[in-house]
Amino acid sequence: MRGAAGGANLLALRSHNTALVLDLLRTAGGAGISRLELAERTGLTPQAVSKITARLRGEGLAAEAGRRASTGGKPRTVLRLVPGAGHALGVHLDRDELRAVLVDLDGTVVAERRAPLDLGAGAETVLETVARAAEELAAEGLGHLVVEGARVPGAALAAAPTLLGLGVALPGPLDHVRGVLHRITGFPGWDGYPLREALERRLGVPVVVDKDTNAAALGLAVGGAGAEEGSKAGGEEGSKAGGERGSGAGVERGSGAGVEVGGAGGERGSGAGAEAAGAGARGGSFAYLHLGTGLGAGLVFGGGVHRGARTGAGEFGHQVVQLDGPPCTCGARGCIEALCLAAVARGDLAEAARVLGTGAANLAGLLDIDLVLLGGRTVAAAPEAFVHGVGAVLDARARREGGHDGPVPVRLAPAGARGVAEGAAQLLLAPLFGRGEGG
């Protein structure tokens, strides 16, 4: 799936309509879906669907999944996505460790790595650690041997025909569009570093860079997080909006505005797949709060990650809640991150959860979100304490305000310890299915 120049050659993936079809094939799973169903659910003509599916089959992205009885005439052929036809690498760079995964088109983890990391060790050391992990995963999961000793940089990745590229997620702030880092909290030496460009030069494949919280939120959104709450909140209005968008999405039949992941890695699809289902499945909003070595948030509205014009959204941990409070590594005082991590350090998880809940309540009041999801290694170490503590603060807020909707639900994010790494891989995969776009 890669052209001679090393950029992703997506061919059949270059139209909104193809993204719609691919997403429906993906969500149908192994049972598959018929061409007639694809036409009905996208609003495309049967002829257009036949052309798209023929291209996908020719590229090895779709295959027959058997036949299904029809109400009249001969049985319908059903099609399925071929998960192994494409892969993506996802890397989570935390302040003290690296987690990396190789996933297929379904998002299933094929191989994974975990290694210690010092984010402050310097660019060359960090890049070498990323390159080593990526090449090892490609060798293990895709069957390409890594040449020991005097190896050609990036050879193992460039030789993998199904590899779409590498997604990298790390603490912010950063510029997602340009792939340039800013003053990472606690590691100001990264300010202005062109991480995407450096990794593309080193590895020879497309690279996308984003904040760890955004990547995790994207992975959760693709997996359907917030769908139930969005359906409840959206009601008939959401269903109506989803129906209008789903039927209208296939009106444009040209391929000019394609879903592309080029060498720059920053241009992604138009979000056409977001119209493939109703608002009940995509219209929910949620905040993913990540508490580990730092504290941040990933925000999802209408199925898309909200990054803001400068990738500045979600700097949740640095809202000041205590004037003249304890100093934070960002340079301010009284930040939620500083208060929360201090409570964790002294073993007061109840206080840490209360502080986190205060920030979550502020967020719920400001953005009227449907759901709060908690993740990160600190939460994973004591999930009940944090889910209960944060939930109690949101419950108290709901009682003060009255109304009949009740508190915003608080749940543990289902992705676990490798959720950020899997979300990083989705930075490459999601656009192929028209997913993950936001502001």
Side-chain angles (χ1 to χ4, degrees), residues 27 33 73 84 116 184 192 196 201 230 258 286 291 346 361 418 420:
T27 55
I33 185 171
I184 297 175
R196 186 183 72 198
R201 187 168 56 248
F286 67 86
L291 178 59
R346 63 177 182 266
R418 65 187 188 194
V420 175

Coordinates of all heavy atoms in Angstrom, one line a residue, residues 27 33 73 84 116 184 192 196 201 230 258 286 291 346 361 418 420:
T27 N -16.9 -2.2 10.5 CA -17.8 -2.4 11.7 C -18.7 -3.6 11.5 O -19.2 -4.2 12.5 CB -18.8 -1.2 11.8 OG1 -19.4 -0.9 10.6 CG2 -18.0 0.1 12.2
I33 N -21.0 -7.7 5.1 CA -22.1 -6.9 4.7 C -22.3 -7.0 3.2 O -21.3 -7.0 2.4 CB -21.9 -5.4 5.2 CG1 -23.1 -4.6 4.9 CG2 -20.7 -4.8 4.5 CD1 -23.0 -3.2 5.6
G73 N -34.8 -13.8 -5.3 CA -33.7 -13.9 -6.2 C -32.6 -14.8 -5.6 O -32.8 -15.4 -4.6
G84 N -5.5 -7.9 7.7 CA -4.1 -7.9 7.4 C -3.6 -7.2 6.2 O -2.4 -7.2 5.9
P116 N 12.1 1.0 29.0 CA 12.3 2.3 29.8 C 12.8 3.4 28.9 O 13.4 3.1 27.8 CB 13.5 1.8 30.8 CG 14.1 0.7 30.1 CD 13.1 0.0 29.3
I184 N 7.4 20.9 26.5 CA 6.8 19.8 27.2 C 7.0 20.0 28.7 O 8.1 20.3 29.1 CB 7.4 18.5 26.8 CG1 7.1 18.2 25.3 CG2 6.9 17.3 27.6 CD1 7.7 16.9 24.8
G192 N 10.3 23.5 20.1 CA 10.7 23.8 18.7 C 11.2 22.6 18.0 O 11.6 22.7 16.8
R196 N 8.2 15.1 13.9 CA 7.7 14.3 12.8 C 8.7 14.2 11.7 O 9.0 13.2 11.1 CB 6.4 15.0 12.3 CG 5.7 14.2 11.1 CD 4.5 14.9 10.6 NE 4.9 16.1 9.9 CZ 4.1 17.1 9.6 NH1 2.8 17.1 10.0 NH2 4.5 18.1 8.8
R201 N 12.5 11.1 8.5 CA 13.8 11.0 7.8 C 14.5 9.8 8.3 O 15.2 9.1 7.6 CB 14.6 12.3 8.2 CG 16.0 12.4 7.5 CD 16.6 13.7 7.6 NE 16.7 14.2 9.0 CZ 16.0 15.1 9.6 NH1 15.1 15.8 8.9 NH2 16.2 15.5 10.8
G230 N -24.2 9.5 24.0 CA -24.6 10.4 23.0 C -26.0 10.1 22.4 O -26.7 11.0 22.1
G258 N -9.6 13.2 -1.5 CA -9.3 11.9 -1.0 C -8.9 11.9 0.4 O -8.5 12.9 1.0
F286 N -17.3 13.2 25.1 CA -16.7 12.7 26.4 C -15.4 13.3 26.6 O -14.8 13.9 25.6 CB -16.6 11.2 26.4 CG -15.6 10.6 25.4 CD1 -14.3 10.4 25.7 CD2 -16.1 10.1 24.2 CE1 -13.4 9.9 24.8 CE2 -15.2 9.5 23.3 CZ -13.8 9.4 23.6
L291 N -4.3 10.3 34.0 CA -3.4 10.6 35.1 C -2.3 9.6 35.2 O -2.6 8.4 35.5 CB -4.2 10.6 36.4 CG -3.5 10.9 37.7 CD1 -2.8 12.2 37.7 CD2 -4.4 10.8 38.9
R346 N 1.9 11.4 48.5 CA 1.8 11.1 49.9 C 0.8 10.0 50.3 O 0.5 9.8 51.4 CB 1.5 12.4 50.7 CG 0.2 13.0 50.3 CD -0.1 14.3 51.2 NE -1.4 14.9 50.9 CZ -1.6 15.9 50.1 NH1 -0.6 16.4 49.4 NH2 -2.8 16.3 49.9
A361 N -15.5 18.2 37.2 CA -16.8 19.0 37.4 C -16.7 20.3 36.6 O -17.7 20.8 36.0 CB -17.1 19.2 38.8
R418 N -2.1 0.2 27.5 CA -1.6 0.5 26.1 C -2.6 1.3 25.3 O -2.4 1.4 24.1 CB -1.2 -0.8 25.4 CG -2.4 -1.7 25.1 CD -1.9 -3.0 24.5 NE -3.1 -3.8 24.1 CZ -3.0 -5.1 23.8 NH1 -1.9 -5.8 23.9 NH2 -4.1 -5.8 23.4
V420 N -2.9 4.6 25.0 CA -2.3 5.7 24.3 C -1.6 5.2 23.0 O -1.7 5.8 22.0 CB -1.4 6.5 25.2 CG1 -0.7 7.6 24.4 CG2 -2.2 7.1 26.3

